[in-house]
Amino acid sequence: MSLLPETVTIDAMTGALSPATGHYAKHLADLEGLFQDATAWANAVAHGGNPLVYEVIEYRKDGSDLFFGTTTMQPGRVGTEFYMTRGHFHSNPAMGEVYYTRRGEGLLLLENRGGESRHVPMRAGSCAFIPPGWAHRSVNTGDEPLVFVWVCNPAAGHDYAAILDKGLRQIAVEQDGAVAILPNPRFTQG
Ligand code: F6R
Ligand code: ZN
């Protein structure tokens, strides 16, 4: 099959992408176990209207070695912890990714299979290089939507299971009006 060039329009303010081939949304109820404060999470789901946390829109063409899309994250917190994505390793350890931020303020938390942690800022114009073998989770630390464009190989695959249990070794919280990156208590408490 031969593929033809095409222009895809991306709105940096909303993350709208057209033409799109796929779309999904994650509300708070879809993110059970992600946040440290399970009571605050349950309250926000049951009594806080189960808010939208993030949406993903993708452009994927069968037969291509690239696909891309947008992730748009709403601002918010569960307890003191900022809204974040599930986070994943790529199933293929040889495939990395690029995250190009178009709007908002956030953090990209990264961790390799050896347990080494890093974080890089996400702000309009910053382009994060995610090397092969590094799990990645984005966090909206600002008060407006965080919009970024991502590009990777469709054969990269997602391994969510590896961090579903305890999360990553770092968490991003609001502390005294500032953003703090703290050790994840689920690791330090064994
Ligand atoms: C793809 C990728 C992004 C994320 C998206 C949602 O490899 O890294 O498209 O999938 O930002 O995050 P997750 O998948 O961690 O819920
Ligand atoms: Zn990824």
Side-chain angles (χ1 to χ4, degrees):
M1 182 205 349
S2 80
L3 292 166
L4 293 173
E6 187 168 28
T7 295
V8 176
T9 302
I10 292 176
D11 184 326
M13 288 301 284
T14 64
L17 179 153
S18 178
T21 58
H23 172 260
Y24 68 83
K26 293 289 176 195
H27 289 77
L28 210 47
D30 302 315
L31 304 175
E32 184 170 13
L34 230 63
F35 297 92
Q36 301 288 320
D37 189 337
T39 307
W41 172 82
N43 277 334
V45 169
H47 311 297
N50 186 24
L52 174 68
V53 180
Y54 61 96
E55 287 178 87
V56 175
I57 310 176
E58 68 173 39
Y59 176 88
R60 182 195 295 253
K61 293 284 159 168
D62 285 346
S64 172
D65 62 336
L66 290 173
F67 85 128
F68 62 92
T70 58
T71 300
T72 302
M73 303 185 65
Q74 296 306 308
R77 293 193 315 253
V78 175
T80 61
E81 204 172 9
F82 293 105
Y83 280 4
M84 58 185 156
T85 56
R86 291 166 292 178
H88 56 270
F89 283 95
H90 290 162
S91 315
N92 186 326
M95 292 182 178
E97 189 161 359
V98 166
Y99 275 16
Y100 178 41
T101 304
R102 304 299 293 122
R103 178 187 180 189
E105 289 278 339
L107 281 172
L108 182 59
L109 306 179
L110 302 120
E111 185 173 310
N112 68 17
R113 296 270 184 192
E116 198 179 338
S117 293
R118 290 283 189 282
H119 59 88
V120 297
M122 298 179 77
R123 64 176 80 94
S126 72
C127 189
F129 167 57
I130 301 169
W134 285 77
H136 39 288
R137 162 178 279 169
S138 43
V139 184
N140 186 349
T141 58
D143 51 18
E144 61 174 325
L146 176 69
V147 180
F148 62 94
V149 177
W150 46 267
V151 185
C152 70
N153 188 314
H158 295 104
D159 173 6
Y160 291 103
I163 60 169
L164 209 58
D165 190 24
K166 290 181 164 184
L168 295 176
R169 284 171 172 75
Q170 337 175 77
I171 60 171
V173 300
E174 199 252 12
Q175 205 174 54
D176 303 325
V179 178
I181 300 169
L182 304 178
N184 179 348
R186 291 174 182 163
F187 281 88
T188 53
Q189 287 162 10

